[in-house]
Amino acid sequence: MSVLDAPSATIAALLADAAKIVVMTGAGMSAESGIPTFRGTRSGLWARFDPEQLATAGAFRKDEALVWGWYRWRTAMVEQAQPHAGHAAIVELAALRAGLVVVTQNVDDLHERAGSGDVVHLHGSLFAPRCIACGMPHPHERLPASTALDPAIRVVPPRCTHCGGSIRPGVVWFGESLPAPAWQRAEQVLQECEALLVVGTSGVVQPAASLPSLAKRRGKPVIEINPEAGGITPMADVSWRTTAADGLPQVVKLLSETR
Ligand code: OAD
């Protein structure tokens, strides 16, 4: 493993021969759009809020309005945020390497809004609510731009038009399995990729954190972009200590210059 302080031809060289690139992203990818990460020491969501009260099926059954209100806050925050230069750089990278796939742990839609066409959501989406009883998808209604950003707001969830059950956020909660189609697709693209770019994840939440090893075991380069070391660092061929909005555009520039 080598750690770089500045962009280097090494990254471009590692990506240059790779026709199939996977970009795996975590909460740090959205941080510069103003969306908090989970494990930051002060501002991280799990430092400020108790996942036991907000991010389990049991918590939802206990207090639906508390949990739905908290996710409404997160949804409003995402809807009021904009993708940044790092999201745009991934779209540019896909123009250089057709077949690029984004595998994200994020439940926001910033990759899609930036223009990424092939995004696998391992942990579900804030924009795919469904009935907790029958599983029927429920349309997401965009929140007014003036929606106040209040994490403690209590909002009674809508009812399912099919069975009358409560509508729950379409995200993966603690104790739940990942959506099988997303997981299978992620495993497939990680088994086929020729280079992996891992951006903004602490690499500690399983099973997502195990995915990079599928590329590594086949001898494919693993490149990490993250201001801090984490669970992916030991297997990374290159770890670049920078942010997504700073590093990704430089990587794409380097690569386009070496075409
Ligand atoms: P974490 O909050 O665990 O980690 C965020 C990572 O982003 C850290 O490694 C930071 O160093 C890095 N980071 C912070 N700012 C950055 C920036 N501007 N650019 C690049 N990187 C930056 O988030 P995840 O690894 O995504 O699961 O967490 C994984 C899962 O844990 C989440 O999907 C969520 C959570 O519990 C569920 O909700 C199911």
Side-chain angles (χ1 to χ4, degrees):
M1 194 225 1
S2 59
V3 176
L4 303 185
D5 292 328
S8 146
T10 313
I11 293 181
L14 286 172
L15 291 174
D17 295 330
K20 291 183 180 176
I21 296 176
V22 169
V23 184
M24 182 174 161
T25 63
M29 182 74 219
S30 304
E32 287 152 296
S33 291
I35 309 299
T37 62
F38 293 94
R39 292 178 182 76
T41 41
R42 277 197 310 273
S43 59
L45 288 178
W46 298 153
R48 297 167 60 200
F49 303 101
D50 180 1
E52 289 291 325
Q53 285 182 6
L54 294 162
T56 70
F60 185 70
R61 288 201 180 85
K62 189 169 159 207
D63 193 341
E64 291 184 352
L66 176 82
V67 172
W68 186 259
W70 191 69
Y71 279 93
R72 201 178 106 118
W73 165 64
R74 288 182 56 193
T75 305
M77 219 172 5
V78 169
E79 287 188 346
Q80 291 174 26
Q82 297 303 325
H84 57 65
H87 293 102
I90 293 173
V91 178
E92 285 172 40
L93 190 53
L96 296 173
R97 293 291 186 278
L100 178 145
V101 182
V102 177
V103 174
T104 188
Q105 295 163 86
N106 299 343
V107 294
D108 62 50
D109 62 350
L110 294 173
H111 284 300
E112 287 90 340
R113 277 202 274 142
S116 283
D118 196 353
V119 185
V120 180
H121 281 274
L122 291 172
H123 291 165
S125 163
L126 290 168
F127 303 99
R130 66 176 189 274
C131 176
I132 194 160
C134 74
M136 179 78 90
H138 186 83
H140 168 73
E141 278 172 32
R142 204 182 150 79
L143 300 168
S146 58
T147 302
L149 295 178
D150 176 6
I153 191 167
R154 295 181 62 81
V155 183
V156 175
R159 312 302 295 182
C160 175
T161 51
H162 181 65
C163 77
S166 299
I167 299 302
R168 59 159 284 176
V171 303
V172 175
W173 278 331
F174 286 96
E176 294 183 328
S177 303
L178 273 51
W183 178 251
Q184 284 158 11
R185 177 94 203 287
E187 278 192 317
Q188 182 204 339
V189 297
L190 265 294
Q191 271 155 4
E192 290 172 356
C193 75
E194 289 159 23
L196 172 64
L197 203 48
V198 186
V199 187
T201 179
S202 55
V204 296
V205 174
Q206 296 294 354
S210 69
L211 285 171
S213 66
L214 297 178
K216 185 68 185 172
R217 262 190 257 139
R218 292 183 298 109
K220 304 304 173 189
V222 176
I223 298 157
E224 178 185 50
I225 292 185
N226 195 315
E228 291 174 27
I232 305 300
T233 307
M235 78 174 83
D237 295 278
V238 174
S239 285
W240 187 15
R241 298 277 160 258
T242 189
T243 70
D246 178 60
L248 282 166
Q250 296 188 56
V251 167
V252 176
K253 186 166 181 289
L254 278 168
L255 190 62
S256 56
E257 285 168 2
T258 57
R259 282 175 95 189

